[in-house]
Amino acid sequence: MHAFSTKRRGESGPLRLMLLPMLILACSAAFSQVFAACLPSDDAQIRQLQTLVNQDAKAALAQVQTLLNAELALAHPNQKRMASLYDVQAQADSILELESDARDAVARGLQYAADERAPVRLDLLATLAENVYDQSAIDAADKLIESAHRLQPKGSLADTCMLIGRGLLQFRDGREDLAIGSLTQAYSDSAAPNFTEARVLAASTLSTVLRGMGDYPQALALNQEAIDWDSQQKAPLALSVDRFLRGRILALMGKHEAAIEEFMESRRLSEQFSDVQGMAFVDVRVCEQRVELGQLDRARPACNSALRTFLATKYLDEAKETQALIARIDLAQGRPERALQTLNVVLDQKGADLQPRRVAELYLWRSRTNAALHNYHDAYADLTEYVSRYTVSNDAERSRQAAALRARFETDREIERNTLLKRELDVSRERAQRQAQQLRWNAIAAVSAVLVIALLAYFLLTNYRYRQQLVRLASQDGLTGLPNRRRTAELATSALAMAGETGLPLAIALIDMDHFKFINDRCGHAAGDHVLKGFARIGRDCLRPNDVLGRWGGEEFLLVMPQATVEVALASLERLRTLTFGIHLPSSAAGMRVSLSAGVAIYDTAVRSLDELIARADSALYVAKNEGRDLVRVADDTFMSSSGIRRTTRQ
C-alpha cells in the first residue's frame, strides 16, 4: 500500500475524521478535473485519449485498458508510454469520482516515471492531488509535489501545474492562507496563451477556495471561465461538474431557484453517461434547495433517490447528510417521531463521522424535534451542544477567513511588485538603445505605482469593511435584524451594572409570541417568520431610543429598559402589545390574530445577577400565560425557580 493511498470516502475511522470543513463544503465533485491534463502529452494518441476523458470517461478507460494490455504483453514495455497510459486512466477514474482507483493508477504510473522533471510524472502528481483526502495521504502527496516543484523553472507551465497541485493540498490541509497564495500565483502565471488548460484549472480550483471564503461574485466569475472552456471543448462530464459547482455558489448566495436550474442542467449532462454517483450528488443538493424554498413534497423524492445511491455505493457521510434533510422534511410535515428516529441514527456517533461544519446544525434540528415532542430536557441538552459547537466553529471560521484575506492581499501585492520590478528591468536593459523612450517608461512606472497604491488602499478598505461585517453578523439575529442572544445578554449586563452603580431604575421584560407554534403549523414557517420580523419592526419604531429589544430564542424576545420605572415599563409594553395586533396573517389563519404575553422584572439591590432578574421576568411571563395570554404581568419578589411547567403551558 502506497503512502498516499486512502480509504473510501464513505468509511469511518481516524483517517476519515481528518477531512477538513472546506473540503467537505466542496463535496466529492469539487475538484474533479475540468479537462484531461494540466500538462498535455507530446504523444498524439495519448492527447486524443486525454480529450476523450472529458467527452466519455468510460470509453477512455476501455481504450486505455486495451493499450495497457498490449504494452504489458511486450517483453520490454515502453516506460514513458506506460506512465502516460496510467496517467490517462487516473484522470478518467478521477472525473468518474473513483478516487481509490485513481490513486492506484497514479501509483502504477509513478513506477514508470522516476524522473522528477518528466512532464508525465508531474501530471500524475497533479492528478494525485485531486484524489487524496486524509491527512497522511495529503502529507505524502505534498512532499512529492514540493520536491518536483523546486526543480521547475519559475513561471513555466510545469511550475504552474505544481503550484495548482500544492494550492489544492494546502486548501485540503486547512491552510487557506497558503492556498490562496499558491493558486493566485498560478492563475497569474498562466495568463500566457499556451497555458490555457492550466489557466482554466487554476480558475476552477481558485473558484472553490474563494467560494469557501464567501467571495461569491469572484467565485462565479472564475467558474464561468471553466464553463466557457468546457463548452468550447465539448466536454460534457467536465461541464456537468462546472454546472454543479455553480449551483453550489448560487445556493450559498441564497438564490435557490437559480441553483436548482444549474443542478438540473448538471444532472442532465450526467445522465448522458449514466453517472449514477454524479446524479446522486445533484439530487441531494436539489432536495436541500427545495427544503429551503418550502417545497417539501418535491424535495422528498430527490432525497430518497440520492439516499438509495449513497447507501449502495457506501458513501455513508453523504447518506447521513441526506437522512438529515429527510428528517427536516418529516418535522416540517408534522412527523416529529419519525424525524427524531432518523436524527438519532445520523448522530449515533455524536457527529464524529460527519462533516464538522454540519454537526452543530444537526444538534439544532434535533433540539427542535425534541421540543416538538415536548422532550424539553433532551431539547435543552441538544441546544446547549449546538451553541457550544457553533461558537467554536464560528470563531475558527472567522480566524480562517481573516488569515486567508491577509494572504490574498499579500499575494496580490507581491504579484504587482514583481510586475513593476520586471518592467523596470526591461527599461534598464533598453536604456542605451532607446534613450528617447526613457520619459515614457518613467511615466508608465509612475502611473503603475499610483495604481498599486490605489489598489492597496482598496484592499485595505475592503478588508476593514469585511471585518466590520463579520462583527455585525456575529452580534445580529439573521431573521429579525435585532441583537442576537449573546449581544442582548451583553447589553443587559452592562445596563444592570450601570443601574447598580448609579442607583437609577432598570426594567427587564421577557416577551413571548402567543400560540406561535400553532401559527407555524397552520400557516407555515414563512408566516411565522413574517410575525417575528413584523414584531421586530414594531419594536424598533415604538420603543425609546435607549431601550434594547433583542431576540432571546425562537419566539422569545428580551426587552432591556434603562432608567425605566415600573410605570414606564408597563406603558411601553402595553403600547407594544397593542401595536402587535396590527401584524397581518395569511387568509389561511382566519379568526386568528397575533398577540404577545410579557413578564416584567424591576431591578433592586437584592438582585445578584442578570440571570436572577430574567428569572423573575420569566416567572411573571408564566403568570401572564397562565391567566389567558395577551397580558403583561409584573414579577413580585417570589417567583418559580423552574420554567419547565411554564414552558409546557406555553405550548
Side-chain angles (χ1 to χ4, degrees):
M1 181 67 71
H2 294 271
F4 46 79
S5 295
T6 66
K7 297 183 178 182
R8 268 192 78 99
R9 287 167 25 80
E11 291 185 20
S12 60
L15 297 181
R16 180 64 185 84
L17 304 185
M18 304 173 93
L19 290 177
L20 301 168
M22 290 297 298
L23 167 63
I24 295 164
L25 178 64
C27 89
S28 71
F31 286 111
S32 293
Q33 283 182 274
V34 294
F35 49 83
C38 187
L39 288 161
S41 173
D42 55 5
D43 184 315
Q45 187 178 29
I46 298 297
R47 283 201 306 274
Q48 290 177 357
L49 289 171
Q50 290 172 334
T51 301
L52 181 60
V53 164
N54 282 310
Q55 295 172 348
D56 190 341
K58 292 181 179 179
L61 279 176
Q63 292 189 26
V64 166
Q65 191 59 56
T66 300
L67 294 172
L68 279 171
N69 292 338
E71 284 291 329
L72 290 171
L74 300 176
H76 300 287
N78 184 299
Q79 300 286 303
K80 179 180 178 181
R81 185 169 174 80
M82 288 291 293
S84 297
L85 288 171
Y86 279 121
D87 185 25
V88 176
Q89 186 181 68
Q91 291 159 11
D93 287 332
S94 178
I95 204 167
L96 290 172
E97 299 173 23
L98 303 172
E99 292 100 342
S100 179
D101 293 343
R103 293 190 296 270
D104 290 343
V106 168
R108 294 189 184 97
L110 290 176
Q111 294 175 358
Y112 292 97
D115 183 3
E116 288 194 320
R117 298 180 185 272
V120 65
R121 180 181 177 85
L122 302 181
D123 207 48
L124 282 162
L125 294 178
T127 306
L128 173 63
E130 297 170 1
N131 292 280
V132 292
Y133 297 94
D134 68 73
Q135 192 64 56
S136 61
I138 289 172
D139 291 342
D142 186 53
K143 289 180 181 178
L144 290 172
I145 287 181
E146 186 57 36
S147 175
H149 178 242
R150 287 195 296 266
L151 301 176
Q152 310 311 317
K154 187 173 179 57
S156 66
L157 178 58
D159 176 67
T160 301
C161 292
M162 292 299 95
L163 277 174
I164 295 170
R166 186 176 70 178
L168 172 54
L169 293 173
Q170 289 166 340
F171 178 60
R172 289 182 174 172
D173 197 26
R175 297 176 291 169
E176 288 82 4
D177 51 340
L178 300 180
I180 283 289
S182 298
L183 294 172
T184 304
Q185 185 67 55
Y187 184 73
S188 175
D189 290 348
S190 60
N194 57 332
F195 285 19
T196 305
E197 291 87 350
R199 175 81 168 184
V200 176
L201 181 56
S204 180
T205 310
L206 187 56
S207 171
T208 301
V209 177
L210 293 178
R211 184 187 73 196
M213 291 173 57
D215 190 349
Y216 303 133
Q218 188 64 28
L220 281 175
L222 291 168
N223 171 260
Q224 189 61 49
E225 290 189 32
I227 289 176
D228 293 342
W229 170 261
D230 288 323
S231 297
Q232 176 187 347
Q233 299 299 309
K234 295 180 174 57
L237 271 178
L239 191 58
S240 173
V241 173
D242 300 334
R243 293 291 187 184
F244 179 86
L245 295 179
R246 192 169 191 83
R248 295 285 285 160
I249 299 169
L250 292 169
L252 290 170
M253 296 173 72
K255 299 181 178 180
H256 305 301
E257 294 287 2
I260 290 174
E261 290 181 10
E262 293 294 335
F263 289 142
M264 296 309 294
E265 177 61 18
S266 173
R267 196 183 201 284
R268 184 187 67 79
L269 292 166
S270 295
E271 286 174 349
Q272 297 179 17
F273 300 94
S274 300
D275 182 8
V276 177
Q277 292 184 29
M279 289 187 286
F281 280 111
V282 169
D283 287 341
V284 73
R285 296 283 78 88
V286 169
C287 174
E288 181 181 51
Q289 296 309 297
R290 294 206 184 281
V291 169
E292 294 297 332
L293 290 169
Q295 301 172 357
L296 304 181
D297 290 336
R298 300 179 68 185
R300 188 183 292 275
C303 267
N304 288 338
S305 175
L307 181 59
R308 286 192 296 270
T309 299
F310 290 143
L311 291 175
T313 54
K314 297 183 180 180
Y315 274 67
L316 301 185
D317 53 346
E318 296 293 344
K320 284 195 170 185
E321 182 175 346
T322 308
Q323 288 174 310
L325 284 170
I326 293 174
R328 286 182 59 182
I329 296 171
D330 285 333
L331 179 61
Q333 292 183 334
R335 290 185 285 268
E337 296 87 354
R338 184 191 296 181
L340 181 60
Q341 183 179 6
T342 302
L343 288 171
N344 285 339
V345 172
V346 172
L347 289 170
D348 59 353
Q349 298 186 40
K350 298 181 179 180
D353 58 337
L354 298 173
Q355 306 168 359
R357 72 175 186 90
R358 298 303 300 270
V359 175
E361 183 182 4
L362 292 174
Y363 276 104
L364 176 61
W365 280 107
R366 194 168 73 174
S367 172
R368 293 177 178 176
T369 305
N370 274 314
L373 292 168
H374 306 298
N375 301 332
Y376 297 111
H377 181 272
D378 292 340
Y380 180 78
D382 281 340
L383 189 60
T384 301
E385 184 68 19
Y386 160 73
V387 171
S388 174
R389 288 175 180 265
Y390 176 81
T391 300
V392 172
S393 175
N394 189 50
D395 290 345
E397 179 69 7
R398 289 170 60 188
S399 299
R400 183 191 60 76
Q401 290 197 359
L405 283 172
R406 287 195 300 270
R408 187 178 177 191
F409 168 77
E410 291 296 335
T411 302
D412 289 343
R413 185 171 64 176
E414 184 64 27
I415 290 172
E416 291 295 335
R417 184 185 294 118
N418 291 339
T419 301
L420 286 174
L421 290 174
K422 184 177 183 300
R423 182 176 294 131
E424 291 174 0
L425 181 62
D426 291 341
V427 171
S428 176
R429 201 177 285 146
E430 296 175 2
R431 184 175 296 145
Q433 301 173 357
R434 305 178 64 182
Q435 190 67 36
Q437 297 181 0
Q438 183 65 52
L439 291 177
R440 190 178 74 174
W441 282 114
N442 288 342
I444 291 174
V447 170
S448 298
V450 171
L451 291 175
V452 171
I453 293 172
L455 185 61
L456 294 178
Y458 168 77
F459 283 143
L460 288 171
L461 180 61
T462 301
N463 191 28
Y464 173 77
R465 289 177 176 173
Y466 186 74
R467 284 181 297 175
Q468 291 295 104
Q469 183 182 16
L470 288 177
V471 171
R472 179 179 61 81
L473 291 174
S475 61
Q476 186 181 78
D477 177 56
L479 177 65
T480 63
L482 297 174
N484 60 18
R485 184 185 181 101
R486 187 185 71 176
R487 181 57 178 162
T488 303
E490 290 174 354
L491 295 172
T493 301
S494 298
L496 184 63
M498 181 64 69
E501 293 173 2
T502 63
L504 293 173
L506 170 68
I508 284 184
L510 201 59
I511 302 168
D512 188 271
M513 310 306 295
D514 293 331
H515 303 295
F516 187 78
K517 182 178 184 300
F518 186 71
I519 292 173
N520 260 342
D521 292 343
R522 182 170 177 179
C523 307
H525 290 285
D529 290 348
H530 170 73
V531 169
L532 296 178
K533 289 190 283 189
F535 175 73
R537 182 179 63 256
I538 291 171
R540 283 191 291 266
D541 292 341
C542 77
L543 294 173
R544 301 180 304 167
N546 61 334
D547 291 344
V548 175
L549 178 64
R551 189 174 182 188
W552 199 242
E555 70 272 22
E556 268 193 352
F557 298 82
L558 189 70
L559 176 57
V560 183
M561 295 174 280
Q563 303 179 29
T565 62
V566 66
E567 292 80 6
V568 172
L570 286 173
S572 295
L573 285 164
E574 284 298 327
R575 183 167 58 253
L576 192 59
R577 186 181 67 83
T578 303
L579 291 173
T580 301
F581 296 157
I583 299 175
H584 297 292
L585 290 172
S587 58
S588 59
M592 296 177 58
R593 70 172 184 178
V594 180
S595 66
L596 62 83
S597 299
V600 186
I602 305 300
Y603 168 77
D604 59 46
T605 55
V607 173
R608 294 184 298 274
S609 68
L610 176 63
D611 289 341
E612 182 178 336
L613 194 58
I614 292 175
R616 291 185 178 185
D618 200 31
S619 172
L621 175 58
Y622 166 69
V623 174
K625 290 286 185 179
N626 203 36
E627 291 181 1
R629 297 181 170 83
D630 191 18
L631 296 171
V632 178
R633 290 291 179 261
V634 180
D636 55 20
D637 292 335
T638 62
F639 57 91
M640 298 175 62
S641 61
S642 172
S643 61
I645 298 176
R646 175 188 61 84
R647 294 188 182 278
T648 303
T649 302
R650 288 165 58 192
Q651 298 302 318

